[in-house]
Amino acid sequence: MLYLVVTGGAEGTGPIWIFIVSPVTYSIRGLKRGTSDIFIFLLAIMLGFYCADMFNIYEYKPAQFPYRIVFSFIIVALLTGFYEQSREKYSNKIIALSQRNERLATIDPLTELPNRRHAMHKLSEFKKEHAYKGIPFVLLLADVDNFKKINDKYGHNFGDEALIHLANIFKKNIPQNAVASRWGGEEFLIAIPNVSVTEGVNVADKIHDSLKKAAVSLRTNTVNLTISIGVVQSEENRSIDLDIKHADQQLYKAKEQGKNRTCSA
Protein backbone atom coordinates (compact mmCIF):
# COMPACT_ATOMS: atom_id res chain seq x y z
CA MET A 1 0.00 0.00 0.00
CA LEU A 2 2.82 2.38 0.86
CA TYR A 3 4.49 1.63 -2.49
CA LEU A 4 1.25 2.43 -4.35
CA VAL A 5 0.94 5.74 -2.49
CA VAL A 6 4.56 6.80 -3.17
CA THR A 7 4.53 5.80 -6.85
CA GLY A 8 0.91 6.70 -7.61
CA GLY A 9 0.14 3.28 -9.09
CA ALA A 10 -1.71 3.23 -12.44
CA GLU A 11 -2.46 6.84 -13.41
CA GLY A 12 -2.54 7.96 -9.79
CA THR A 13 -5.20 5.45 -8.68
CA GLY A 14 -2.89 3.47 -6.35
CA PRO A 15 -3.97 5.23 -3.13
CA ILE A 16 -7.57 4.07 -3.64
CA TRP A 17 -6.49 0.58 -2.48
CA ILE A 18 -5.82 1.85 1.05
CA PHE A 19 -9.58 1.86 1.78
CA ILE A 20 -9.63 -1.94 2.11
CA VAL A 21 -7.12 -1.76 4.98
CA SER A 22 -9.45 -0.72 7.81
CA PRO A 23 -12.15 -3.44 7.42
CA VAL A 24 -9.56 -6.15 6.86
CA THR A 25 -7.43 -4.99 9.81
CA TYR A 26 -10.37 -4.83 12.22
CA SER A 27 -11.65 -8.25 11.14
CA ILE A 28 -8.24 -9.84 11.74
CA ARG A 29 -6.85 -7.88 14.68
CA GLY A 30 -9.97 -6.84 16.59
CA LEU A 31 -10.90 -3.39 17.88
CA LYS A 32 -7.96 -2.42 20.13
CA ARG A 33 -5.08 -3.83 18.09
CA GLY A 34 -6.81 -2.89 14.85
CA THR A 35 -7.12 0.76 15.93
CA SER A 36 -3.42 1.00 16.81
CA ASP A 37 -2.44 -0.72 13.54
CA ILE A 38 -4.62 1.62 11.47
CA PHE A 39 -3.20 4.67 13.26
CA ILE A 40 0.35 3.56 12.40
CA PHE A 41 -0.75 2.80 8.83
CA LEU A 42 -2.29 6.27 8.51
CA LEU A 43 0.96 7.90 9.60
CA ALA A 44 2.84 5.80 7.06
CA ILE A 45 0.44 6.82 4.25
CA MET A 46 0.82 10.50 5.13
CA LEU A 47 4.59 10.05 5.07
CA GLY A 48 4.26 8.32 1.68
CA PHE A 49 2.35 11.27 0.18
CA TYR A 50 4.94 13.63 1.64
CA CYS A 51 7.85 11.65 0.16
CA ALA A 52 6.15 11.41 -3.24
CA ASP A 53 5.86 15.18 -3.37
CA MET A 54 9.17 16.06 -1.69
CA PHE A 55 11.33 13.80 -3.88
CA ASN A 56 9.28 14.32 -7.06
CA ILE A 57 8.47 10.60 -7.31
CA TYR A 58 4.90 11.23 -8.39
CA GLU A 59 2.83 14.41 -8.77
CA TYR A 60 -0.80 14.04 -7.78
CA LYS A 61 -3.34 16.20 -9.57
CA PRO A 62 -5.14 18.08 -8.27
CA ALA A 63 -2.82 18.96 -5.38
CA GLN A 64 -5.69 18.44 -2.90
CA PHE A 65 -6.04 14.76 -3.91
CA PRO A 66 -3.76 13.37 -1.10
CA TYR A 67 -5.66 15.38 1.54
CA ARG A 68 -8.99 14.09 0.30
CA ILE A 69 -7.69 10.51 0.31
CA VAL A 70 -6.40 10.87 3.89
CA PHE A 71 -9.60 12.48 5.22
CA SER A 72 -11.75 9.91 3.40
CA PHE A 73 -9.64 7.09 4.86
CA ILE A 74 -10.06 8.53 8.38
CA ILE A 75 -13.86 8.64 7.95
CA VAL A 76 -13.97 5.05 6.61
CA ALA A 77 -11.70 3.87 9.45
CA LEU A 78 -13.91 5.55 12.07
CA LEU A 79 -17.08 4.03 10.66
CA THR A 80 -15.42 0.62 10.48
CA GLY A 81 -14.20 1.04 14.08
CA PHE A 82 -17.71 1.87 15.31
CA TYR A 83 -19.04 -1.19 13.51
CA GLU A 84 -16.33 -3.40 15.01
CA GLN A 85 -17.10 -2.02 18.47
CA SER A 86 -20.78 -2.90 18.07
CA ARG A 87 -19.92 -6.33 16.69
CA GLU A 88 -17.56 -7.12 19.58
CA LYS A 89 -20.12 -5.91 22.15
CA TYR A 90 -22.81 -8.10 20.63
CA SER A 91 -20.41 -11.04 20.33
CA ASN A 92 -19.42 -10.72 24.02
CA LYS A 93 -23.10 -10.76 24.98
CA ILE A 94 -23.63 -13.94 22.96
CA ILE A 95 -20.59 -15.58 24.59
CA ALA A 96 -21.73 -14.58 28.09
CA LEU A 97 -25.23 -15.91 27.38
CA SER A 98 -23.81 -19.14 26.02
CA GLN A 99 -21.63 -19.60 29.12
CA ARG A 100 -24.61 -18.89 31.38
CA ASN A 101 -26.76 -21.43 29.53
CA GLU A 102 -23.95 -23.98 29.70
CA ARG A 103 -23.69 -23.45 33.45
CA LEU A 104 -27.45 -23.77 33.90
CA ALA A 105 -27.35 -27.02 31.93
CA THR A 106 -24.69 -28.60 34.15
CA ILE A 107 -24.96 -26.96 37.61
CA ASP A 108 -27.72 -27.26 40.19
CA PRO A 109 -28.73 -23.63 40.92
CA LEU A 110 -29.49 -24.21 44.62
CA THR A 111 -26.43 -26.15 45.83
CA GLU A 112 -24.08 -25.11 42.98
CA LEU A 113 -23.05 -28.75 42.67
CA PRO A 114 -22.99 -30.51 39.29
CA ASN A 115 -26.46 -31.75 38.37
CA ARG A 116 -27.46 -35.27 37.36
CA ARG A 117 -26.73 -34.66 33.67
CA HIS A 118 -23.16 -33.53 34.35
CA ALA A 119 -22.64 -36.34 36.86
CA MET A 120 -23.60 -38.95 34.25
CA HIS A 121 -21.11 -37.39 31.84
CA LYS A 122 -18.33 -37.66 34.45
CA LEU A 123 -19.34 -41.22 35.30
CA SER A 124 -19.03 -42.13 31.62
CA GLU A 125 -15.48 -40.72 31.65
CA PHE A 126 -14.64 -42.67 34.82
CA LYS A 127 -16.10 -45.82 33.26
CA LYS A 128 -13.90 -45.44 30.18
CA GLU A 129 -10.81 -45.00 32.36
CA HIS A 130 -11.82 -48.13 34.24
CA ALA A 131 -12.17 -50.08 31.00
CA TYR A 132 -9.04 -48.83 29.21
CA LYS A 133 -6.66 -47.99 32.06
CA GLY A 134 -7.93 -50.26 34.82
CA ILE A 135 -8.68 -47.33 37.14
CA PRO A 136 -11.81 -48.16 39.20
CA PHE A 137 -13.98 -45.64 41.02
CA VAL A 138 -16.20 -45.69 44.10
CA LEU A 139 -19.78 -44.43 44.26
CA LEU A 140 -21.33 -42.89 47.36
CA LEU A 141 -25.10 -42.46 47.15
CA ALA A 142 -26.35 -40.28 50.01
CA ASP A 143 -29.84 -39.33 51.14
CA VAL A 144 -30.87 -36.85 53.86
CA ASP A 145 -32.65 -38.59 56.71
CA ASN A 146 -36.20 -37.43 57.50
CA PHE A 147 -35.97 -34.55 55.04
CA LYS A 148 -39.75 -34.34 54.55
CA LYS A 149 -40.23 -33.90 58.30
CA ILE A 150 -37.60 -31.12 58.33
CA ASN A 151 -39.39 -29.36 55.50
CA ASP A 152 -42.80 -29.75 57.13
CA LYS A 153 -41.59 -28.57 60.54
CA TYR A 154 -39.24 -25.71 59.62
CA GLY A 155 -40.38 -24.75 56.12
CA HIS A 156 -38.95 -25.06 52.65
CA ASN A 157 -36.52 -22.18 53.14
CA PHE A 158 -34.88 -24.09 55.94
CA GLY A 159 -34.89 -27.22 53.75
CA ASP A 160 -33.08 -25.32 51.00
CA GLU A 161 -30.55 -24.03 53.52
CA ALA A 162 -30.02 -27.61 54.72
CA LEU A 163 -29.23 -28.81 51.19
CA ILE A 164 -26.79 -25.92 50.66
CA HIS A 165 -25.14 -26.75 53.99
CA LEU A 166 -24.82 -30.40 53.01
CA ALA A 167 -23.32 -29.48 49.62
CA ASN A 168 -20.67 -27.39 51.38
CA ILE A 169 -19.89 -30.31 53.69
CA PHE A 170 -19.35 -32.53 50.65
CA LYS A 171 -17.04 -30.00 49.00
CA LYS A 172 -14.86 -29.82 52.12
CA ASN A 173 -14.58 -33.57 52.70
CA ILE A 174 -14.25 -35.26 49.32
CA PRO A 175 -10.93 -35.65 47.45
CA GLN A 176 -10.01 -33.00 44.89
CA ASN A 177 -10.49 -35.37 41.94
CA ALA A 178 -13.93 -36.52 43.14
CA VAL A 179 -17.28 -35.31 41.82
CA ALA A 180 -20.18 -34.56 44.16
CA SER A 181 -23.51 -33.98 42.45
CA ARG A 182 -27.12 -33.36 43.36
CA TRP A 183 -28.76 -36.51 42.07
CA GLY A 184 -32.32 -35.39 42.73
CA GLY A 185 -34.30 -33.86 45.59
CA GLU A 186 -32.41 -34.60 48.80
CA GLU A 187 -30.29 -37.34 47.18
CA PHE A 188 -26.63 -36.82 46.28
CA LEU A 189 -24.12 -38.91 44.33
CA ILE A 190 -20.36 -38.76 44.86
CA ALA A 191 -17.90 -40.48 42.50
CA ILE A 192 -14.29 -40.91 43.61
CA PRO A 193 -11.80 -42.32 41.07
CA ASN A 194 -8.89 -44.63 41.86
CA VAL A 195 -9.87 -45.54 45.44
CA SER A 196 -11.09 -48.68 47.20
CA VAL A 197 -14.40 -49.21 48.97
CA THR A 198 -12.59 -48.84 52.30
CA GLU A 199 -11.32 -45.42 51.28
CA GLY A 200 -14.82 -44.52 50.11
CA VAL A 201 -16.23 -45.50 53.52
CA ASN A 202 -13.56 -43.32 55.17
CA VAL A 203 -14.77 -40.33 53.13
CA ALA A 204 -18.36 -41.13 54.18
CA ASP A 205 -17.27 -41.24 57.84
CA LYS A 206 -15.64 -37.82 57.49
CA ILE A 207 -18.90 -36.46 56.11
CA HIS A 208 -20.87 -37.94 59.02
CA ASP A 209 -18.41 -36.40 61.53
CA SER A 210 -18.58 -32.98 59.87
CA LEU A 211 -22.39 -33.03 60.01
CA LYS A 212 -22.24 -33.81 63.74
CA LYS A 213 -19.98 -30.82 64.37
CA ALA A 214 -21.80 -28.33 62.12
CA ALA A 215 -25.53 -27.79 62.52
CA VAL A 216 -27.80 -26.04 60.03
CA SER A 217 -29.03 -22.69 61.34
CA LEU A 218 -31.62 -20.32 59.94
CA ARG A 219 -33.03 -17.56 62.12
CA THR A 220 -34.01 -19.30 65.42
CA ASN A 221 -33.98 -22.85 64.04
CA THR A 222 -30.97 -25.14 64.39
CA VAL A 223 -30.81 -28.78 63.28
CA ASN A 224 -28.03 -31.35 63.01
CA LEU A 225 -28.57 -33.11 59.70
CA THR A 226 -27.96 -36.81 59.33
CA ILE A 227 -27.60 -38.76 56.11
CA SER A 228 -27.55 -42.39 55.06
CA ILE A 229 -24.91 -43.46 52.54
CA GLY A 230 -24.47 -46.48 50.31
CA VAL A 231 -20.94 -47.19 49.02
CA VAL A 232 -19.97 -49.52 46.17
CA GLN A 233 -17.03 -49.92 43.84
CA SER A 234 -17.53 -49.94 40.09
CA GLU A 235 -17.04 -53.13 38.13
CA GLU A 236 -15.50 -53.10 34.68
CA ASN A 237 -18.15 -55.26 33.02
CA ARG A 238 -21.08 -53.63 34.83
CA SER A 239 -23.02 -50.67 33.44
CA ILE A 240 -23.18 -47.31 35.19
CA ASP A 241 -26.89 -47.83 35.87
CA LEU A 242 -26.14 -51.14 37.60
CA ASP A 243 -23.34 -49.55 39.65
CA ILE A 244 -25.81 -46.90 40.82
CA LYS A 245 -28.46 -49.55 41.48
CA HIS A 246 -26.04 -51.44 43.75
CA ALA A 247 -25.21 -48.19 45.58
CA ASP A 248 -28.94 -47.57 46.01
CA GLN A 249 -29.34 -51.04 47.51
CA GLN A 250 -26.66 -50.24 50.09
CA LEU A 251 -28.33 -46.90 50.80
CA TYR A 252 -31.64 -48.68 51.38
CA LYS A 253 -29.86 -51.07 53.75
CA ALA A 254 -28.47 -48.10 55.72
CA LYS A 255 -32.00 -46.70 56.01
CA GLU A 256 -33.34 -50.04 57.21
CA GLN A 257 -30.62 -50.34 59.85
CA GLY A 258 -31.61 -47.08 61.51
CA LYS A 259 -30.29 -44.30 59.22
CA ASN A 260 -27.33 -41.95 59.92
CA ARG A 261 -24.88 -44.63 58.83
CA THR A 262 -22.93 -46.03 55.88
CA CYS A 263 -23.36 -49.46 54.30
CA SER A 264 -20.96 -50.78 51.69
CA ALA A 265 -20.45 -53.77 49.40
Side-chain angles (χ1 to χ4, degrees):
M1 295 297 178
L2 185 60
Y3 171 78
L4 291 173
V5 168
V6 173
T7 63
E11 299 181 0
T13 60
I16 296 174
W17 288 97
I18 72 171
F19 290 105
I20 69 171
V21 170
S22 56
V24 172
T25 302
Y26 277 125
S27 66
I28 295 174
R29 298 281 283 169
L31 183 62
K32 291 183 179 179
R33 291 180 179 178
T35 300
S36 61
D37 289 352
I38 288 171
F39 180 74
I40 294 169
F41 176 75
L42 178 61
L43 293 177
I45 291 304
M46 293 169 67
L47 180 63
F49 279 125
Y50 175 79
C51 291
D53 181 59
M54 178 63 65
F55 299 106
N56 295 319
I57 300 171
Y58 187 83
E59 184 181 359
Y60 285 102
K61 294 180 180 180
Q64 294 81 11
F65 180 79
Y67 299 104
R68 292 174 180 175
I69 288 290
V70 169
F71 286 129
S72 298
F73 178 80
I74 291 172
I75 292 170
V76 170
L78 287 173
L79 291 174
T80 310
F82 286 135
Y83 169 79
E84 180 63 22
Q85 184 182 36
S86 299
R87 191 199 64 79
E88 281 195 3
K89 186 178 180 181
Y90 181 74
S91 178
N92 290 336
K93 283 184 178 180
I94 294 295
I95 292 170
L97 184 62
S98 176
Q99 290 174 341
R100 181 173 175 271
N101 288 338
E102 184 178 351
R103 177 176 173 80
L104 289 174
T106 58
I107 301 296
D108 174 59
L110 177 65
T111 62
E112 295 191 348
L113 289 176
N115 59 19
R116 187 175 187 136
R117 176 184 177 184
H118 184 67
M120 285 300 292
H121 175 71
K122 294 300 293 185
L123 287 176
S124 297
E125 291 181 356
F126 290 161
K127 204 70 176 179
K128 287 177 183 176
E129 287 190 350
H130 193 177
Y132 296 119
K133 298 180 182 179
I135 302 175
F137 60 91
V138 165
L139 291 177
L140 283 71
L141 190 61
D143 186 81
V144 182
D145 296 327
N146 306 313
F147 187 69
K148 187 178 182 302
K149 290 181 180 179
I150 293 173
N151 262 339
D152 292 343
K153 185 175 181 180
Y154 302 105
H156 290 283
N157 287 340
F158 188 88
D160 288 346
E161 190 65 31
L163 296 178
I164 294 169
H165 175 78
L166 182 56
N168 291 331
I169 293 289
F170 289 149
K171 292 172 186 175
K172 291 176 183 177
N173 289 282
I174 64 174
Q176 195 170 9
N177 62 343
V179 178
S181 61
R182 188 178 181 187
W183 197 242
E186 66 273 20
E187 202 168 53
F188 296 82
L189 182 72
I190 300 170
I192 311 173
N194 202 23
V195 296
S196 65
V197 170
T198 302
E199 290 170 302
V201 171
N202 289 338
V203 171
D205 290 341
K206 285 173 63 179
I207 293 169
H208 285 302
D209 290 340
S210 294
L211 287 172
K212 285 179 185 177
K213 297 173 184 175
V216 184
S217 296
L218 185 65
R219 299 186 185 91
T220 58
N221 299 316
T222 301
V223 174
N224 277 96
L225 286 181
T226 64
I227 61 173
S228 300
I229 305 176
V231 182
V232 297
Q233 188 161 47
S234 66
E235 291 187 8
E236 187 176 342
N237 56 356
R238 192 167 66 188
S239 69
I240 295 171
D241 289 338
L242 280 177
D243 285 336
I244 296 171
K245 183 178 179 181
H246 279 71
D248 190 51
Q249 289 171 351
Q250 295 304 314
L251 171 61
Y252 184 74
K253 189 185 293 185
K255 293 283 188 182
E256 280 190 325
Q257 292 178 6
K259 304 178 181 178
N260 191 25
R261 66 191 67 230
T262 299
C263 287
S264 62

